[in-house]
Structure formats: C-alpha cells, structure tokens
Amino acid sequence: MYINHKDIEDLALGATVLGAGGGGDPYITRLLAQKIIQKFGPVQLLQPFMVPDEALIIPTAFMGATTVLQEKLLNGKEAYGALKMLENYLRSKAFATMPAEAGGLNAIIPFMVAARAGIPVIDSDGMGRALPEHQMSSFHVYGISGSPMVINTEQDDYILLKVKDNYRLAEIARSLLASTGGIGNMAGYVMTGEQMKETAITGTVSFGLKLGTAIRKAIQEKGDTFEAISQVTSNSTYGRAIKLFQGKITDIERRLNNSYLRGRAVIRGIKDFSGSECIIEFQNENIIALVDNETAALVPDIITYLDAETGFPLSIEQLKYGYRVTVIGIPTPEIMRTESALQVWGPRKFGYDIDYIPLEVLEKFRAIQRANKGFLEKGGAQG
C-alpha cells in the first residue's frame, strides 16, 4: 500500500481523533507532507510482518509544546535531518521509519521523513494515540532504549543524547527544548525489525487512515460522524466508540506549565444530556472525563471531541467558549492496558489517586445508573 498526498488529508483527520484532544493540530504538517510527497513521490506503508527481523528501524517525531507551532512553523526537513545524523552516528542506514505516536501531527511527520529518505513507513506506533511524555511508549514499556537519540532544535542545532534511563532521557530532552525555543524533532528508539514486532502497537497508521476516510465521507454526505467512527472502531483492535456527552462549552482553562498544556474544559449538557455537566481535564491530551462528578473515561482510553454542528474532530487548542461539542471515548487496544503499560501511562502517572477502569466497564455502570434514575423519575415500581 502506498500513501499519496490525498491520503494524508484523511490520515490527518483520523490522527486528530487519535490525538485525544492533543498531539498538535496536524493542519500545517498535512500541508507540508502533501507538498513533500508530491515532490518525492508516494510513501510505502509497510505491514510489520513484511519487515525483516534484522532490519534497522528508526522512529521519528516532533517534540515539545505544540502551541509554539502556531508562531514557529516547521519547514519539513527537521526530523529528516535528525534521522540522517543518527544514521551517520550508527554508520548504518534505516530500513524504515515509523511514528512514535499515532495521534496528532506525529502521525504525519514520518511520511515527510520517509518521502525524502526514500524508505517505507511501518504501519505501527508506540502509543496507539498521543501521550505527553516520550517514555509513555510501548517501546519503553517493553524494553527498548530511547538512546541514542538525535534532536534537531528550533535553532537548527543537532544534539546527540546517550542516556541509560528513558525517564532521564525524557527529562533531559524536555530541559533542552525549554532552553532552545520549546520545540524540536527527534530520531530515536532505534530497534531491529524483530524488536519492533515485539513492542509496537500494530496497524495504527492504517487505522487512523480508515477513521479519517470515514469521517470525511460522513461530513461530505452530511451523515453522522460519530456513527462513522463507531463503525470503524467496532472492526478494529480498538473497541467500539462510546458517546460520553454532548453539550456547550461554558468554561475552558489552559495554562502552559513546564512545556505541558494543562487545564480543563467544562461542558453543559444539551439534548439527551440536558441538566448534566461534563468536566474534562487535560495535560497536553485529555486525561479524565467526569460526568456529574462520576468518572466516565480515563487514560489510556481515548477521550476526544467532535464539533456537534459540523462533525469535524477538534483538538483542545481549537475549543472555545460557546462551542457545541460531542465528547466521545474510544477503548484502546489490549497491549495498552497491561499492568506494565498502566504503570507507565495509567491515571496514577498523571497524579490521580485512582486505578484505571476500562471505558466499556465505566459505560455499563453509567447505563445502570441512567436506568435506575429513569425508573425513579417514573415513580418506581407500580403497586
């Protein structure tokens, strides 16, 4: 399968959903990627089983505060430069690159790299969505070192990091970005084809593309975007999407803290959710959704927004007071819900004193509560 410039448009739509509210708005990245692919040609999307075990795989990604990108645009060469610098250090050519995360603009970056380098992109990633810290990756969870890593800074310096511990690597990288303009692009988490097959979340790029195609068609045909997403997710390693809430944004708080975008969105219910309130707290990405103070969804399951009027997926950066939104949840693949994975990206890693509960379990509990409430409102048992 080859990805052309038109496919990138659908991939960007799907990546916005998998961004879980964050991951950066892929709009500018999409335009850059389309321009590069038109110049260098379509990029092969390779299934993991087609990759030789001994092949050298180098993921590539954007790093830093995506809000900075609104003022400092990428030129499309940064991550490619980091890849070439790391190849020089390793004295070996990459067989393929792949996304570090399937959500937001990082679903697009590897296609710009691959088009320039003339290599494939592997249909897998390390997060299955977007997450705010680099060690929050299945590569880290299942034993891959992030080092050596090359970072191309906003000032176009190339810096090689060799750090034994992935947590310390993320800490150093974040400090580096904070002192060099807040953003950068990286090549790291070097692995063999065999290691990629053992640690990556597979099929996430093509899944994002399917999601985006379904969303585009639903919008063009004035259909129901949520139903389109629900159908795609039902036939995937992700679970069927669930409508968590629908309402009008009455408050939105955002603050930049140590390169993280933190805050919350408050939504007052409309239609079936009239009389209820939803609060969503985020750290770059949506972390927890509360409906009437009861937990409705938790990281690592995906919490994201659709414009209730147009059906377009929305990021946190696009939310504004008065917007009418549909909040949806998508269960993540089982590889993201193991005990070892939850120790890296579960709710407690974000400071919440609560264990992870799968989205579909929470939804069953909420359905029972709704049924009981309706029963009582009708006067309870007759006779």
Side-chain angles (χ1 to χ4, degrees):
M1 178 181 184
Y2 281 81
I3 303 298
N4 61 37
H5 67 283
K6 294 181 179 177
D7 296 323
I8 293 294
E9 189 156 347
D10 286 352
L11 180 58
L13 277 174
T16 304
V17 172
L18 295 179
D25 184 351
Y27 176 72
I28 296 297
T29 317
R30 168 175 69 81
L31 296 179
L32 276 173
Q34 289 178 313
K35 185 177 177 181
I36 292 169
I37 289 175
Q38 283 181 299
K39 179 177 180 180
F40 293 96
V43 175
Q44 187 179 15
L45 182 63
L46 207 58
Q47 295 305 307
F49 72 87
M50 300 170 69
V51 179
D53 284 349
E54 67 280 9
L56 178 67
I57 311 301
I58 304 181
T60 46
F62 167 86
M63 304 175 75
T66 56
T67 50
V68 177
L69 287 177
Q70 295 175 11
E71 298 180 3
K72 299 178 181 178
L73 301 180
L74 299 177
N75 63 31
K77 299 178 181 176
E78 299 91 341
Y80 171 74
L83 175 84
K84 302 313 288 184
M85 191 66 71
L86 188 53
E87 286 181 336
N88 288 340
Y89 171 76
L90 297 171
R91 297 185 179 183
S92 185
K93 296 287 186 184
F95 173 83
T97 187
M98 62 187 293
E101 57 184 348
L105 60 86
N106 269 331
I108 310 294
I109 294 283
F111 286 93
M112 298 197 290
V113 174
R116 288 185 181 279
I119 58 178
V121 169
I122 298 172
D123 188 6
S124 302
D125 81 306
M127 297 183 184
R129 46 165 290 166
L131 286 163
E133 299 179 15
H134 264 268
Q135 82 284 354
M136 291 179 172
S137 156
S138 63
F139 308 144
H140 165 73
V141 170
Y142 300 110
I144 303 297
S145 173
S147 296
M149 175 182 289
V150 170
I151 297 177
N152 170 249
T153 71
E154 191 273 336
Q155 296 164 3
D156 205 29
D157 294 319
Y158 289 92
I159 298 173
L160 174 69
L161 297 177
K162 287 186 67 178
V163 184
K164 292 180 181 178
D165 179 82
N166 286 343
Y167 285 99
R168 185 159 164 71
L169 173 65
E171 182 181 320
I172 292 172
R174 187 168 294 278
S175 296
L176 173 65
L177 296 183
S179 63
T180 58
I183 59 173
N185 284 263
M186 77 91 190
Y189 281 93
V190 178
M191 65 187 90
T192 65
E194 182 178 20
Q195 289 173 318
M196 178 273 297
K197 295 169 196 171
E198 293 172 348
T199 64
I201 303 168
T202 59
T204 49
V205 178
S206 56
F207 175 69
L209 181 59
K210 287 178 184 174
L211 265 181
T213 302
I215 292 168
R216 175 178 55 78
K217 289 182 177 177
I219 292 171
Q220 287 176 343
E221 297 167 4
K222 301 189 184 304
D224 187 326
T225 304
F226 169 72
E227 284 302 323
I229 292 173
S230 187
Q231 286 184 19
V232 174
T233 52
S234 296
N235 299 304
S236 73
T237 56
Y238 294 73
R240 184 181 181 87
I242 294 168
K243 184 182 291 187
L244 299 176
F245 203 75
Q246 192 169 44
K248 176 183 174 182
I249 295 176
T250 56
D251 193 19
I252 178 79
E253 299 175 10
R254 302 184 188 90
R255 60 187 185 281
L256 199 57
N257 184 345
N258 194 25
S259 296
Y260 292 115
L261 181 65
R262 301 176 190 269
R264 68 175 194 164
V266 181
I267 307 165
R268 185 191 305 154
I270 59 174
K271 297 183 178 178
D272 293 344
F273 299 90
S274 181
S276 291
E277 182 182 73
C278 176
I279 296 175
I280 298 174
E281 297 178 351
F282 50 82
Q283 179 180 317
N284 285 10
E285 285 77 36
N286 295 315
I287 304 301
I288 183 171
L290 303 167
V291 175
D292 294 335
N293 293 318
E294 297 286 343
T295 304
L298 283 163
V299 66
D301 289 329
I302 295 168
I303 304 164
T304 193
Y305 316 93
L306 301 176
D307 185 315
E309 305 295 333
T310 67
F312 273 97
L314 297 170
S315 67
I316 293 166
E317 294 164 2
Q318 295 171 308
L319 299 182
K320 293 182 180 177
Y321 175 83
Y323 268 25
R324 292 173 183 260
V325 297
T326 301
V327 182
I328 67 172
I330 300 175
T332 42
E334 289 304 316
I335 189 174
M336 299 178 65
R337 296 171 159 194
T338 65
E339 186 175 341
S340 55
L342 293 173
Q343 288 176 0
V344 173
W345 53 45
R348 293 186 183 278
K349 298 302 292 185
F350 294 90
Y352 292 93
D353 187 20
I354 182 173
D355 289 324
Y356 168 72
I357 302 173
L359 174 61
E360 57 273 28
V361 174
L362 287 170
E363 177 57 19
K364 286 181 181 177
F365 178 70
R366 292 175 63 222
I368 292 170
Q369 284 187 316
R370 289 194 294 270
N372 288 339
K373 182 180 177 182
F375 179 74
L376 292 173
E377 287 176 348
K378 291 178 181 177
Q382 300 297 314

